[in-house]
């Protein structure tokens, strides 16, 4: 089947069946937009949208009502200044002043709190997220300020997210104490099927393609499928352009530490009814420096690009998206261990001792051990409104992940040969129907299918870490909501099935062909309530599950990053979790408060259990770990409070605490985030309505406590002490050009202001080296529309 | 609700067909071939021949199935007190009846490799390397071994690679300070009589 032909045909068909009115000068301008509730992100149907003359006339010039999607359109408008109002019972009426000189799109957010209007391009349909689950997101100018790091580093700015790091180049997000395969990443609506075989495998996504990053902090298996035990990370590109014209962005970042440079650019436009966008990012960095020494072999090179095109009409739409991510990164030179003696030597040495071919100096050059990872994603999505029924969505995606790891080996020939060379191909198909969207009883039903093929390219000269396998999986779900103006109830049910067929060579090189089947039923129930003008409460009880991954089933051999032998367990069962999340949000003119508390019980929690005795090999005696299952309990709170002070000052504090316990052994679990508090004193000029501030500055103090809840026999060294590290950032923003259609933003940031030498418990290389020292980062962001 | 489901599944039929077509186009899978673990060393043999002549003492460590599985096979021999020996070490990969020698590979890359010999107590037997790499630094494939007074203890044989061979004062005792990574680390019980 020729997918390209099919797609072009589909787009062509859409292009011929709908007519496009090209805007003409004089009184032919249009104004389109969408109205959402700012708390729940729900589209608000039935909002009265009125256009008024700018001089304050008593009656509106035009009036319309938003449809079931919250969309409205006003046509045949003359250029000039206007005022726009949006009114809906139970919400504060919103006013915005605007000047029409071209057809414009506005996105309005109605809320119980103070007036907040933002003028941005019309948004396409966003993935439906539950109102009952606490979620935090980064978007707009706030996201732009954070971009430049890895996806994990950007996500760490969100309340309740920590990072599990492997040196400065690899970071995985931790949500409520869970990470890796227990956190689901959705890249543009598609389950990211990368290779998460170990903690040193980071998500393969360019954060610079995102227009919005959201973290859903709850078990979300029902809507998104297996693995979403701790939470979900949603990476959403900006919506495609719906109006004629050309827009674009250029983002440049330079960092002193590691002499890292990042350049990213994008262009978007509209051609014969099709919105399109092209985007590319390049990054290069060298060895980073701690306050006292360089970290040898910690450079990174990255090149990513993406393209999208689509049509979105009132009743139907289609979109095609392609992205490629490619990274090449070094692994800290002294973190590659031959045996326990090497580990003890590394632990005893206050300063890293680098092998002969590495030097304690700056270089962009990468040597082994290193990783080369690429990820391609092709997505095709279409939607069609069915009369009286709702919107039907169809989404197909193909993902290809190629991971090569190069090890320290004898001889040039073997050095150039990867010791791990894995290709993972995944195809997914999702079909879902959003029914009764404009009623009090909206529901979503859907099915999803997945087919996956994992293939070891032969010739590595190393027994594969993960065997060849094929998997087929399917799920069917139903989510029913009951929506009132100030509250919402939600319940959902899902059934999943996964079949996995494995080709594995055992220790005697005999071919084994085990087959696995996993079933699960998940359910969720929750609600959202708004109280008074300023308060909202969310509560949700949901179950989730995760089948064991191939590395948990079949690992056998030495893990060079930890000088330990790890053995998989082919009899593992699925993990099952029940999570209860509760959150409170208070928003007034002066205060912003969010507080989330959760309790999660995970049955058959899979972890590495140490054996009592060392295992003797020709490399020496090794600590040995087996993948085993226990019952685990996770409980915790995270919160944020911000208070506005006079003079544009504000004070914000964010914090999180996790208590995790292995219930069967009555022991603590490793790699659980210690207590963490982040305090920030910020200043900004008072913003014009809806616009980001012109000038801002903030001083941030991050305090991380020592992790006291650890077990000596489950770790190689005691956790490092607590620390407080300071960051400073300041920047400005200027509108440029005619009608201020261009924006230039400049920002200077100093990370680790005091050049503190410290180690972080959640960095797997804390045994070997300190964290990065002081880092100056200058970034420049230019946007035109 | 029933009606919704019925219409939903009606629309699902063509979608399912497309899905099956797309998903079924995967190629046939070949069975994986065992990797030739070319650099895997599973056998070390240390031979000490008295310089004055006589029967050699042979120490060997073999772990043919790699880490895990069957325990390694270790054999030791007795040494005579106050005696000088010519020591030679060989490393190999043994698989069934075939033995692939890896000692030459180590010698070729001698500038990146070195053997260390640590006796406990240290006076039991002392090793001095007699071979050199291209930078005129010791490798330790061949050495001179000198036993002390009678006694019992252990002898640890270590092969390191990627170490800093220019490290000042590098010797059998302080080798971890020179960095690098361990290829081999085996320990023999030794009786000197």
């Amino acid at each position: 089947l020729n997918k390209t032909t099919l797609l072009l045909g589909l787009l062509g068909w859409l292009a011929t069946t709908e007519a496009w009115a090209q805007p003409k000068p004089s009184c032919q301008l249009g104004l389109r937009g969408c109205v959402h509730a700012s708390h729940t992100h729900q589209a608000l149907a039935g909002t009265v949208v009125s256009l008024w003359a700018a001089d304050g006339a008593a009656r509106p010039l035009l009036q319309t009502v938003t449809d079931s999607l919250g969309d409205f359109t006003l046509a045949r408008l003359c250029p000039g200044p206007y005022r726009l109002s949006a009114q809906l019972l139970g919400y504060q009426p919103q006013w915005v002043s605007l000047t029409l000189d071209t057809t414009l799109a506005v996105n309005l957010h109605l809320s119980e709190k103070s007036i907040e209007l933002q003028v941005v391009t019309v948004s396409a349909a966003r993935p439906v997220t539950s109102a009952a689950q606490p979620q935090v997101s980064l978007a707009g100018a706030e996201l732009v300020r954070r971009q430049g790091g890895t996806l994990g580093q950007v996500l760490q700015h969100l309340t309740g997210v920590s990072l599990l790091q492997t040196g400065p180049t690899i970071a995985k997000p931790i949500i409520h104490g869970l990470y890796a395969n227990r956190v689901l990443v959705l890249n543009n609506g598609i389950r990211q099927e990368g290779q998460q075989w170990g903690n040193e495998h980071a998500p393969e996504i360019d954060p610079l393609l995102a227009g919005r990053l959201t973290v859903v902090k709850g078990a979300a298996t029902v809507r998104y499928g297996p693995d979403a035990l701790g939470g979900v990370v949603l990476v959403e590109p900006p919506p495609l352009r719906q109006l004629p014209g050309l827009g674009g962005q250029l983002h440049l970042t330079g960092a002193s530490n590691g002499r890292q440079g990042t350049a990213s650019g994008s262009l978007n436009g509209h051609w014969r009814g099709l919105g399109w966008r092209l985007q590319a990012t390049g990054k290069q960095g060298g060895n980073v420096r701690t306050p006292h020494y360089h970290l040898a072999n910690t450079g990174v090179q990255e090149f990513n690009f993406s393209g999208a095109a689509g049509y979105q009409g009132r009743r139907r739409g289609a979109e095609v998206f392609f992205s490629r991510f490619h990274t090449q990164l070094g692994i800290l030179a002294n973190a590659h261990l031959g045996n326990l003696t090497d580990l003890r030597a590394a632990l005893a040495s206050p300063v890293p001792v680098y092998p002969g071919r590495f030097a304690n100096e700056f270089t962009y050059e990468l040597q082994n051990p290193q990783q080369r990872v690429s990820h391609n994603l092709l997505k095709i999505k279409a939607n069609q409104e069915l009369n009286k029924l709702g919107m039907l969505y169809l989404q197909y995606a193909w993902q290809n992940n190629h991971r090569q790891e190069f090890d320290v080996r004898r001889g040039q020939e073997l050095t150039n040969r990867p010791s791990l060379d894995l290709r993972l191909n995944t195809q997914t198909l999702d079909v879902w129907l959003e029914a009764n969207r404009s009623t009090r009883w909206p529901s979503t039903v859907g099915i999803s299918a997945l087919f996956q093929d994992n293939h070891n390219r032969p010739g590595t000269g190393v027994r594969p870490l993960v065997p060849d396998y094929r998997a087929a999986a399917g799920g069917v779900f139903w989510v029913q909501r009951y929506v009132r103006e100030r509250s919402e109830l939600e319940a959902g049910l899902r059934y999943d099935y996964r079949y996995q067929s494995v080709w594995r060579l055992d220790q005697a090189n005999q071919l084994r062909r085990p087959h696995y089947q996993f079933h699960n039923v998940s359910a969720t129930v929750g609600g959202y309530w708004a109280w008074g003008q300023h308060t909202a409460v969310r509560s949700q009880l949901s179950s989730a599950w995760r089948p064991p991954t191939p590395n948990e089933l079949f690992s056998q051999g030495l893990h060079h990053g930890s000088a330990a032998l790890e053995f998989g367990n082919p009899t593992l069962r699925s993990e099952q979790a029940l999570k209860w999340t509760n959150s409170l949000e208070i928003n007034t003119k002066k205060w912003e408060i969010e507080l989330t508390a959760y309790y999660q019980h995970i049955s058959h929690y899979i972890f590495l259990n140490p054996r009592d005795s060392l295992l003797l090999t020709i490399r020496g005696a090794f600590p040995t770990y087996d993948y085993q299952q226990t019952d685990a309990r996770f409980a915790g709170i995270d919160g944020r409070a911000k208070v506005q002070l006079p003079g544009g000052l504000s004070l914000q504090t964010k914090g999180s605490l996790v208590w995790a316990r292995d219930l069967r052994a009555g022991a603590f679990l490793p790699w659980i985030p210690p207590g963490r508090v982040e305090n920030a004193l910020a200043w900004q000029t008072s913003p014009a309505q809806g616009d980001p501030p012109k000038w801002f500055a903030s001083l941030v103090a991050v305090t991380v406590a020592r992790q006291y809840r650890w077990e000596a026999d489950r770790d190689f060294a005691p956790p490092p002490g607590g620390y407080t590290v300071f960051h400073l950032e300041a920047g400005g923003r200027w509108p440029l050009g005619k009608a201020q259609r261009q924006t230039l933003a400049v920002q200077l940031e100093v990370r680790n202001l005091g050049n503190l030498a410290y180690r972080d418990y959640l960095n797997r290389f804390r045994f070997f080296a300190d964290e990065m020292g002081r880092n100056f980062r200058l970034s420049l962001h230019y946007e035109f529309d | 609700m029933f009606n919704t489901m019925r219409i939903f599944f009606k629309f699902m039929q063509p979608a399912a067909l497309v899905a099956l077509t797309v998903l079924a186009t995967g190629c046939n899978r070949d069975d994986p071939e065992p990797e030739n673990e070319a650099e895997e060393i599973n056998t070390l043999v240390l031979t000490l021949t008295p310089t004055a002549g006589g029967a050699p003492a042979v120490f060997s460590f073999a772990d043919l199935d790699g880490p895990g599985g069957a325990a390694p096979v270790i054999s030791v021999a007795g040494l005579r007190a106050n005696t000088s020996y010519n020591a030679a070490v060989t490393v190999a990969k043994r698989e069934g009846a075939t033995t692939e020698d890896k000692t030459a590979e180590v010698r070729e890359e001698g500038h990146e490799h070195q053997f260390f010999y640590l006796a406990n107590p240290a006076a039991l037997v002392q090793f001095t390397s007699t071979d050199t790499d291209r930078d005129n630094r010791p490798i330790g494939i061949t050495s001179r071994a000198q036993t002390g007074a009678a006694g019992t203890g252990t002898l640890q044989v270590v092969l390191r690679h990627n170490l800093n061979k220019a490290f000042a004062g590098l010797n059998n005792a302080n080798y971890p300070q020179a960095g690098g990574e361990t290829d081999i680390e085996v320990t023999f019980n030794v009786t000197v009589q």
Side-chain angles (χ1 to χ4, degrees), chain A residues 251-408:
Chain A
H251 188 96
L252 301 171
T253 302
S256 66
N257 201 333
R259 298 181 207 170
Q260 191 177 81
T262 308
S264 181
S266 72
L267 276 180
N268 63 74
H270 196 78
W271 177 74
R272 301 187 67 175
L274 285 180
W276 58 268
R277 183 181 56 247
L278 292 171
Q279 176 264 346
T281 303
K283 185 198 262 185
Q284 176 151 36
N287 287 350
V288 303
R289 221 187 119 78
T290 71
H292 304 300
Y293 45 84
H294 280 94
L295 296 177
N297 206 37
T298 50
V300 60
Q301 289 162 20
E302 208 174 290
F303 181 70
N304 317 312
F305 63 87
S306 68
Y311 160 76
Q312 192 62 52
R314 194 142 305 281
R315 286 176 52 81
R316 59 174 73 106
E319 185 193 324
V320 56
F321 173 88
F322 178 81
S323 69
R324 176 176 170 79
F325 173 90
H326 180 88
T327 188
Q328 182 175 357
L329 53 90
I331 305 288
L332 180 64
N334 66 319
H336 192 269
L337 302 167
N339 71 358
L340 205 54
T341 312
D342 298 5
L343 175 65
R344 286 186 183 132
L347 288 175
S349 170
V351 171
V353 180
Y354 296 128
R357 26 194 202 100
F358 296 99
N360 178 12
E361 62 184 25
F362 178 81
T363 175
Y364 281 114
E365 194 197 343
L366 294 177
Q367 296 188 55
N368 293 2
Q370 58 178 305
Q371 300 182 358
R372 286 177 207 168
V373 185
S374 64
H375 191 94
N376 299 315
L377 165 66
L378 173 71
K379 169 187 154 177
I380 300 165
K381 184 178 175 183
N383 61 305
Q384 167 73 53
E385 171 125 0
L386 307 177
N387 286 336
K388 292 181 185 170
L389 201 58
M391 192 72 90
L392 180 74
Y393 293 85
L394 193 144
Q395 176 174 282
Y396 166 81
W398 166 77
Q399 293 175 75
N400 168 266
N401 189 298
H402 186 198
R403 168 171 285 275
Q404 289 186 311
E405 296 187 5
F406 296 82
D407 229 326
V408 181

Side-chain angles (χ1 to χ4, degrees), chain A residues 336 339 341-342 357 470, chain B residues 27 65 160 162 181-182 185:
Chain A
H336 192 269
N339 71 358
T341 312
D342 298 5
R357 26 194 202 100
R470 274 189 181 167
Chain B
C27 54
D65 66 350
R160 302 272 287 185
N162 264 317
E181 193 180 315
T182 306
E185 184 182 299

Side-chain angles (χ1 to χ4, degrees), chain A residues 589-608:
Chain A
K589 257 196 157 78
K590 197 171 158 93
W591 287 92
E592 280 174 43
I593 294 171
E594 59 181 75
L595 192 66
T596 303
Y598 59 92
Y599 180 90
Q600 183 166 27
H601 183 274
I602 304 181
S603 311
H604 320 305
Y605 179 85
I606 299 169
F607 73 114
L608 282 168

Side-chain angles (χ1 to χ4, degrees), chain A residues 668-702:
Chain A
F668 295 115
L669 291 165
W671 304 113
I672 299 301
R676 181 188 162 93
V677 180
E678 191 179 314
N679 291 299
L681 176 66
W683 167 84
Q684 62 179 46
T685 51
S686 58
Q689 205 173 56
D691 284 338
K694 187 160 185 197
W695 293 100
F696 72 89
S698 68
L699 177 68
V700 183
V702 179

Side-chain angles (χ1 to χ4, degrees), chain A residues 75-149:
Chain A
R76 286 194 270 293
L77 304 174
C78 305
Y82 294 96
R83 288 186 308 146
L84 186 71
S85 71
Q87 285 164 293
L88 181 65
L89 197 67
Y91 292 83
Q92 274 201 358
Q94 305 283 307
W95 287 87
V96 64
S97 300
L98 49 89
T99 304
L100 276 185
D101 56 355
T102 178
T103 292
L104 203 64
V106 295
N107 214 358
L108 304 174
H109 293 275
L110 297 193
S111 62
E112 294 85 27
K113 61 170 189 166
S114 58
I115 292 172
E116 178 192 284
L117 285 169
Q118 289 174 340
V119 180
V120 294
T121 47
V122 154
S123 62
R126 299 188 49 229
V128 179
T129 51
S130 165
Q133 273 173 334
Q135 52 177 282
V136 283
S137 39
L138 269 179
E142 186 70 12
L143 176 62
V144 167
R145 278 172 56 184
R146 307 299 177 202
Q147 271 168 343

